[in-house]
Amino acid sequence: MDMKKHRTLLILLALFVILILIFLFLSFYERKQEEQNGGDDSQISVTDIESLLALSYTDHSEGTTMSFAKDGNTWYVSNDRDIPLTQSYIETMEDTFCSLTATREISDPDALSDYGLEDPAYTIELTDQDGTLTTVTIGNSVDEDYYLAVNGQEDILYTADSSIVSSMQYDLDTMVAKDDVPSIGSGNLVQADITENGTTTIYSSDNDEQTETISTIAGGYGAMSLTELASYHADAEELASFGLDEDSRITVKLTYNESSEEESDEDPLTFTLYIGNTTDDDTRYVQVQDSDLVYLVSSGILNNLLGGSEE
């Protein structure tokens, strides 16, 4: 019986020693990782730029580069200031890369090719108010992070949260500030004036015989999405090729109440669209009055907007 107790104690002691060794190994490994990564790795500052004059980024997989310049507090496309931009997209990129933080610092890295940084996936160039250029290259993904390097440094690399990539994944069409369109439905559409080839057809919500047509027009308008762009600022020649010149286009003027309440003291408002030629993809060119942007919209949707009439 004593021998059995003695053997049990030896086994427990051996297990205890093994657990101690495991604990010491893990503590040593964790300490070495912290030393390599610069201690507390939750807030490793990579860039500290107060404000930018210019920002560009290249998606090497797509072979595309987008460049922006800042004038005062407003961002523009570098080679075309007339393109209206939704500022929040560029401001998010500016905030991200001016105060870039890493999740880990790699102070003794292997070759750049091991991290996808010899031929990076993305290159970002930041020019501050003093004209100083900072270059950030982004390589392979690792878990939920990406490897990156700053100003071509090879002795110190970083990993950063995937938000640095998601902040750039927009094409120019997405960034363009689209025209505002009012909310119009069958409940607040008062009248539709459709002019084609010099002839105007009027559809009124007060005409009981036109109730169904008014509903069709409102439905077509509600289904219309002004998101796909054909031109950022078409000149007279381009408008003519789109069938949007004054002599060729169809004009749709919608008169509507801002409120859908039947009894309202507010004066009706108007919203005017121009509709042009049909493309090979069965879309048509569309322009909002007083706007330089030209869109592509499904012919079927526009057919409803025109009252359901066939061309």
Side-chain angles (χ1 to χ4, degrees):
M1 189 71 176
D2 289 341
M3 287 295 295
K4 289 181 67 177
K5 287 182 178 181
H6 183 66
R7 189 181 303 114
T8 301
L9 286 173
L10 286 176
I11 292 172
L12 291 174
L13 181 60
L15 289 173
F16 179 76
V17 171
I18 291 171
L19 289 173
I20 291 293
L21 290 174
I22 292 174
F23 174 79
L24 291 174
F25 172 79
L26 291 175
S27 298
F28 173 79
Y29 178 80
E30 200 168 76
R31 188 168 61 254
K32 292 296 289 183
Q33 285 294 102
E34 288 180 357
E35 289 174 359
Q36 184 180 10
N37 299 340
D40 180 10
D41 60 10
S42 61
Q43 292 293 329
I44 302 171
S45 178
V46 178
T47 61
D48 185 14
I49 305 171
E50 185 174 345
S51 184
L52 296 179
L53 282 178
L55 180 155
S56 72
Y57 67 91
T58 300
D59 182 339
H60 294 285
S61 65
E62 297 291 335
T64 58
T65 297
M66 298 182 70
S67 299
F68 306 94
K70 193 177 186 182
D71 187 353
N73 294 319
T74 304
W75 283 100
Y76 300 93
V77 177
S78 293
N79 61 354
D80 194 338
R81 290 171 62 97
D82 292 329
I83 298 176
L85 288 177
T86 301
Q87 295 293 302
S88 58
Y89 291 106
I90 318 299
E91 289 169 350
T92 296
M93 285 188 279
E94 181 180 23
D95 292 342
T96 297
F97 289 103
C98 281
S99 302
L100 184 59
T101 58
T103 56
R104 186 161 64 98
E105 180 182 301
I106 305 171
S107 57
D108 187 20
D110 298 324
L112 291 179
S113 58
D114 293 335
Y115 306 96
L117 289 167
E118 187 173 49
D119 296 305
Y122 302 93
T123 299
I124 301 91
E125 293 186 341
L126 314 164
T127 304
D128 68 13
Q129 296 288 335
D130 296 326
T132 302
L133 176 65
T134 300
T135 302
V136 178
T137 50
I138 300 175
N140 296 338
S141 62
V142 49
D143 297 326
E144 296 182 358
D145 295 344
Y146 282 84
Y147 292 112
L148 63 87
V150 179
N151 291 331
Q153 287 182 306
E154 298 185 15
D155 55 338
I156 299 178
L157 305 180
Y158 304 91
T159 61
D161 185 85
S162 60
S163 61
I164 64 170
V165 170
S166 61
S167 70
M168 299 183 296
Q169 292 182 333
Y170 302 99
D171 59 16
L172 184 57
D173 279 10
T174 302
M175 295 182 184
V176 169
K178 312 300 192 302
D179 292 298
D180 291 327
V181 295
S183 177
I184 303 174
S186 56
N188 67 332
L189 178 59
V190 176
Q191 181 174 300
D193 295 32
I194 299 175
T195 302
E196 183 175 9
N197 297 324
T199 301
T200 300
T201 304
I202 298 175
Y203 301 98
S204 173
S205 61
D206 291 333
N207 187 335
D208 292 338
E209 295 181 359
Q210 295 179 335
T211 300
E212 186 176 343
T213 303
I214 283 287
S215 179
T216 299
I217 292 172
Y221 176 85
M224 182 182 65
S225 176
L226 299 183
T227 54
E228 185 180 354
L229 285 160
S231 178
Y232 302 124
H233 42 71
D235 56 22
E237 183 178 353
E238 196 171 19
L239 288 174
S241 71
F242 293 157
L244 288 171
D245 56 297
E246 190 172 353
D247 293 333
S248 305
R249 67 196 182 197
I250 299 173
T251 300
V252 179
K253 184 175 78 171
L254 303 178
T255 303
Y256 65 99
N257 291 320
E258 196 165 13
S259 171
S260 59
E261 298 178 7
E262 290 186 9
E263 294 184 5
S264 176
D265 296 332
E266 298 176 358
D267 292 331
L269 304 172
T270 61
F271 178 70
T272 301
L273 286 168
Y274 304 130
I275 300 174
N277 296 336
T278 303
T279 71
D280 293 338
D281 296 326
D282 200 28
T283 59
R284 296 185 72 171
Y285 297 103
V286 173
Q287 185 180 32
V288 176
Q289 186 180 44
D290 299 326
S291 172
D292 292 330
L293 299 174
V294 176
Y295 306 88
L296 290 170
V297 179
S298 163
S299 295
I301 289 173
L302 293 176
N303 183 59
N304 286 336
L305 179 62
L306 294 172
S309 60
E310 296 294 336
E311 294 184 11

